[in-house]
Amino acid sequence: MFKGQPFKQELSLRLTAIRRLLYATHNSTGHAWDDASGPAARRDALGLGELLMFACYENLITSICRRLLEIALKLRVGNRRLKRGFQLFAIHNQLQSLSKVSERKIWQETGMRLLDTILDSRNCSINPDLFPVDGSFMRRSQIELLFQLFELGDPGLILKEVWGRLDTIVAERNQIAHGNLTSEEVGRRYSIAEINDLINLWEQRWCDFIDHIESSAQTRNFFRI
């Protein structure tokens, strides 16, 4: 079933790239970091490091969601036998169409198609490309939604210190990405030691997150009733 090692490897590669960036800007002996632009460039690197940490996180959870849906699809279990969270992925297209039809059609062909899909005992209609976006731009509520859909428990117990920092990191990433703050302005808020500690903690807790999903999704019973 679900194997966590490929996700850990990808996470490690991405975090190593951030460490290289910080090392190059904060430990270089070359003249480029000794001139007047050096301090600003170092602050830029700190801000960009945080932005790239967000990218690691976003890639991780979307990739894990996709993999869980791929596994469910390959089990060849009909929609009727899927757990409720997976059933929502299976009927996603029909649910979207309900908002665009008349009241009469809800009670006729559109509604009947939805029931047929839910009760299908042979076919699985999950689309692995789906991701249950909650509109929070990857804040903690996004993880809570995933854990709810896949019946994974309380994410705060897994992510611990990272759970308390997540919304701040997302907010600061969004401020950089949308031009409200520069990477230097965000970088001013951190020292190189603080960012390095955060990267190490980021890797540890997201690996714990992967381990939790791996241990939970080892049998067909994770996916089906």
Side-chain angles (χ1 to χ4, degrees):
M1 296 294 165
F2 182 87
K3 302 297 181 184
Q5 190 59 32
F7 297 95
K8 288 184 179 181
Q9 290 173 343
E10 179 66 19
L11 177 66
S12 178
L13 286 172
R14 289 169 178 259
L15 291 176
T16 297
I18 302 173
R19 292 183 177 110
R20 284 198 302 265
L21 171 66
L22 295 177
Y23 182 84
T25 53
H26 287 77
N27 295 278
S28 174
T29 57
H31 65 83
W33 306 113
D34 296 329
D35 61 21
S37 66
R42 286 190 281 270
R43 290 191 294 268
D44 279 330
L46 295 175
L48 290 173
E50 190 176 72
L51 185 150
L52 293 172
M53 286 170 60
F54 171 90
C56 293
Y57 150 63
E58 182 177 31
N59 173 263
L60 176 65
I61 63 170
T62 55
S63 298
I64 285 178
C65 180
R66 179 183 181 86
R67 182 58 187 148
L68 291 173
L69 296 180
E70 287 173 344
I71 295 171
L73 189 60
K74 289 179 181 178
L75 292 178
R76 299 187 179 183
V77 173
N79 291 339
R80 184 174 183 174
R81 297 188 63 197
L82 293 172
K83 285 190 174 180
R84 292 178 65 186
F86 289 97
Q87 283 183 329
L88 283 175
F89 288 97
I91 64 173
H92 179 264
N93 290 342
Q94 285 87 346
L95 285 174
Q96 282 193 319
S97 69
L98 283 177
S99 65
K100 305 172 184 177
V101 303
S102 66
E103 179 73 12
R104 179 182 63 82
K105 287 187 177 180
I106 290 177
W107 295 103
Q108 293 182 334
E109 61 265 29
T110 303
M112 290 300 176
R113 281 198 299 270
L114 177 60
L115 288 176
D116 288 342
T117 302
I118 295 173
L119 298 175
D120 193 330
S121 61
R122 286 189 168 186
N123 302 306
C124 177
S125 57
I126 286 176
N127 177 2
D129 294 329
L130 287 175
F131 182 79
V133 175
D134 77 334
S136 72
F137 299 100
M138 296 293 171
R139 288 180 169 82
R140 292 194 305 186
S141 62
Q142 180 67 75
I143 300 296
E144 289 172 332
L145 176 59
L146 282 178
F147 268 53
Q148 176 187 344
L149 289 172
F150 296 133
E151 301 179 17
L152 288 164
D154 183 352
L157 297 178
I158 309 300
L159 293 170
K160 298 179 182 178
E161 304 95 334
V162 164
W163 189 243
R165 301 286 299 275
L166 186 57
D167 282 0
T168 297
I169 290 173
V170 171
E172 290 178 340
R173 173 269 174 192
N174 289 340
Q175 288 176 318
I176 295 173
H178 299 302
N180 298 320
L181 290 175
T182 66
S183 57
E184 181 191 1
E185 288 172 317
V186 172
R188 287 177 183 273
R189 301 173 182 179
Y190 300 94
S191 68
I192 180 62
E194 288 172 331
I195 289 293
N196 278 329
D197 287 345
L198 185 56
I199 291 171
N200 293 335
L201 189 61
W202 205 249
E203 185 165 25
Q204 178 184 350
R205 295 307 180 207
W206 287 114
C207 282
D208 292 342
F209 176 88
I210 295 168
D211 286 341
H212 176 66
I213 295 175
E214 182 177 59
S215 64
S216 300
Q218 279 306 300
T219 70
R220 293 165 67 92
N221 291 335
F222 177 79
F223 304 90
R224 70 177 188 182
I225 299 171

